[in-house]
Amino acid sequence: MIILQLTLIIGGWTAPAMAITEEQKLVSETWRIVNRAYLDETFNHQNWWFIREKAIRQNLKNREETYSAIEKMLASLDDPFTRLLKPNQYRSLQVSTSGELTGVGLQIALDAETGQLTVVAPIDGSPAAEVGIQPRDRILKIDQFSTDELTLDEAATHMRGPIGSTVTLTVQRFDTTEIEEIELVRDRIALNPVFAQLRSESSVAPIGYIRLSQFSANATEEVANAIQTLDKQGAKAYILDLRNNPGGLLQAGVEIARLWLNDGTVVYTVNRQGVLGSFDVVSPPLTQAPLAVLVNQGTASASEILAGALQDNLRAQLVGEKTFGKGLIQSLFDLSDGSGLAVTVAKYETPNHHDIHKLGIKPDKIVPTKALTRNQIATDADPQYQAAVELLMSEFALADAA
């Protein structure tokens, strides 16, 4: 009898597995990417397989329900930088690093401590910059929508729109209780990342001024062209302005650092296994002329990689205020339905192994930010710019004395 019972159990009938739906496939595809690539292998100290099973067992009737399930799954990681990008959001992000877009021209992030929607930096020449919105200002509402109820990408979507249309932002100024309602007219946002000009404020030596606003796909080529042009015009020193530069492509940050450095490491990356990788200098610099770099609270991400590389390799001194403090690296992954996934895959360390996430980079010479109009940037009215000029001229004076 016992043998018969065992035989019946072993050879018993098993129900066929249920066919997986297209919606469940998308959830599973997302889960696999995060499982393979995410920086924190504890997945925020939770059972990541259990999270998958809970998500995939839902009765997902349509794509929007699937997106909601994926967003809930990703939210469990407590990482605002790891997020789903719906097809229209994914296309907009790809455009923002390679072409142009229409909107108000704000780079935004969720504050790591408060979760509030915070301005990283306004894009130079944009409607937001024209009305004086500043880094670290908090956006409380977009039209009638409270930003407490919006994801980062939903907030960006609400601010974008056709040229000539309007949007009202409710803004709380950084370090104050002042709240303003600001109506902005959306416009085409030019993404030409570089402005360059030879300056002759000093009788000692002409200075090449380069303002870099974003690390887009063409940023390296544009900075290289600027250095070569200014060199031909007689520049003997350079000021690289990274203020209010919210970052962009990691590779662009690395390549631009290589334009200035003679040797050394640009940045270290640390993956989930704690394995160090590095990006090193691979060719001679375009110039070895003295260099000062302007930074402020809107200097973030790839800008901090560049600033940290130049500071730690003693190639340049930083002037201004402590930087934003974003030391995490995201990669973009295509999903099968045309949406995308931004996943935190590594953190970075400066050449001296400083982890700057949530800490920022302290400049060599601290000069507080002053509210400036667009036309006052890099002029006599700009104390950070003037401090950089004085720093370079003192270097020339010391060289002459030696």
Side-chain angles (χ1 to χ4, degrees):
M1 178 67 71
I2 294 174
I3 296 173
L4 180 61
Q5 285 177 332
L6 287 172
T7 303
L8 287 172
I9 292 170
I10 294 170
W13 178 82
T14 302
M18 295 290 289
I20 190 168
T21 68
E22 290 301 314
E23 305 309 321
Q24 290 170 320
K25 285 181 182 177
L26 192 60
V27 172
S28 184
E29 181 184 0
T30 302
W31 181 90
R32 285 196 305 271
I33 291 170
V34 175
N35 187 59
R36 182 177 68 249
Y38 189 58
L39 172 62
D40 176 11
E41 61 182 354
T42 75
F43 302 98
N44 195 26
H45 305 285
Q46 60 184 345
N47 187 323
W48 188 236
W49 178 261
F50 176 76
I51 297 295
R52 173 194 182 275
E53 291 301 290
K54 186 177 179 181
I56 210 167
R57 289 179 186 276
Q58 298 177 65
N59 181 21
L60 303 172
K61 301 183 182 68
N62 53 53
R63 190 51 46 91
E64 283 306 313
E65 288 188 4
T66 302
Y67 287 153
S68 294
I70 290 172
E71 288 170 342
K72 186 175 181 181
M73 182 171 68
L74 297 177
S76 71
L77 298 170
D78 194 25
D79 174 6
F81 302 113
T82 295
R83 62 200 194 277
L84 173 71
L85 300 161
K86 297 177 184 179
N88 61 327
Q89 296 168 333
Y90 194 31
R91 287 192 296 270
S92 294
L93 180 62
Q94 291 168 321
V95 167
S96 72
T97 58
S98 61
E100 62 179 28
L101 49 84
T102 59
V104 300
L106 278 179
Q107 298 279 356
I108 54 176
L110 296 178
D111 186 278
E113 295 180 359
T114 66
Q116 290 182 305
L117 188 66
T118 303
V119 175
V120 177
I123 295 175
D124 191 31
S126 68
E130 294 291 345
V131 299
I133 295 178
Q134 297 291 321
R136 301 283 184 173
D137 285 351
R138 291 174 286 278
I139 302 175
L140 307 181
K141 293 176 68 176
I142 304 171
D143 287 330
Q144 74 273 25
F145 299 99
S146 168
T147 56
D148 289 339
E149 301 170 3
L150 300 176
T151 67
L152 188 64
D153 296 295
E154 287 171 341
T157 298
H158 281 297
M159 285 191 283
R160 296 187 185 115
I163 295 172
S165 61
T166 61
V167 61
T168 299
L169 303 184
T170 304
V171 177
Q172 182 178 7
R173 297 299 186 176
F174 174 60
D175 263 355
T176 73
T177 58
E178 179 187 354
I179 295 177
E180 297 180 46
E181 282 195 358
I182 304 172
E183 185 176 87
L184 297 168
V185 179
R186 297 182 178 98
D187 201 353
R188 178 174 286 107
I189 308 301
L191 297 177
N192 182 0
V194 174
F195 170 83
Q197 191 175 61
L198 188 70
R199 301 293 181 84
S200 56
E201 291 98 337
S202 169
S203 59
V204 179
I207 294 173
Y209 171 74
I210 300 173
R211 184 164 68 243
L212 178 61
S213 61
Q214 186 184 31
F215 289 85
S216 55
N218 62 331
T220 304
E221 181 182 1
E222 292 294 326
V223 172
N225 289 339
I227 294 171
Q228 291 165 338
T229 299
L230 291 167
D231 182 66
K232 290 177 182 176
Q233 292 175 349
K236 301 301 181 186
Y238 290 88
I239 293 175
L240 178 62
D241 193 343
L242 298 179
R243 291 175 297 179
N244 296 342
N245 182 326
L249 300 176
L250 166 66
Q251 192 61 38
V254 170
E255 291 170 354
I256 291 171
R258 287 169 172 163
L259 298 177
W260 301 95
L261 291 170
N262 192 52
D263 54 27
T265 296
V266 175
V267 67
Y268 291 103
T269 60
V270 185
N271 66 14
R272 64 196 286 177
Q273 288 83 28
V275 176
L276 276 179
S278 67
F279 292 89
D280 300 314
V281 177
V282 294
S283 59
L286 292 184
T287 177
Q288 299 193 48
L291 172 66
V293 180
L294 297 176
V295 296
N296 67 359
Q297 295 175 341
T299 303
S301 192
S303 290
E304 292 173 292
I305 288 176
L306 174 55
L310 297 174
Q311 184 184 54
D312 282 6
N313 282 293
L314 305 180
R315 177 63 180 89
Q317 293 196 64
L318 308 189
V319 178
E321 293 181 310
K322 188 174 71 172
T323 63
F324 185 83
K326 180 180 180 290
L328 300 178
I329 299 169
Q330 286 74 45
S331 288
L332 294 176
F333 297 87
D334 297 335
L335 293 175
S336 56
D337 73 332
S339 57
L341 201 60
V343 180
T344 298
V345 297
K347 64 179 181 178
Y348 72 78
E349 296 178 355
T350 69
N352 286 346
H353 294 289
H354 295 143
D355 180 354
I356 62 91
H357 191 59
K358 299 183 181 180
L359 299 173
I361 299 174
K362 183 179 178 181
D364 301 282
K365 184 175 181 60
I366 297 175
V367 181
T369 292
K370 177 183 176 182
L372 300 170
T373 67
R374 185 184 179 191
N375 293 332
Q376 290 176 317
I377 295 172
T379 67
D380 291 342
D382 183 343
Q384 293 173 338
Y385 173 77
Q386 290 302 317
V389 171
E390 292 169 8
L391 184 67
L392 290 171
M393 293 308 101
S394 67
E395 288 187 28
F396 275 107
L398 287 173
D400 288 343

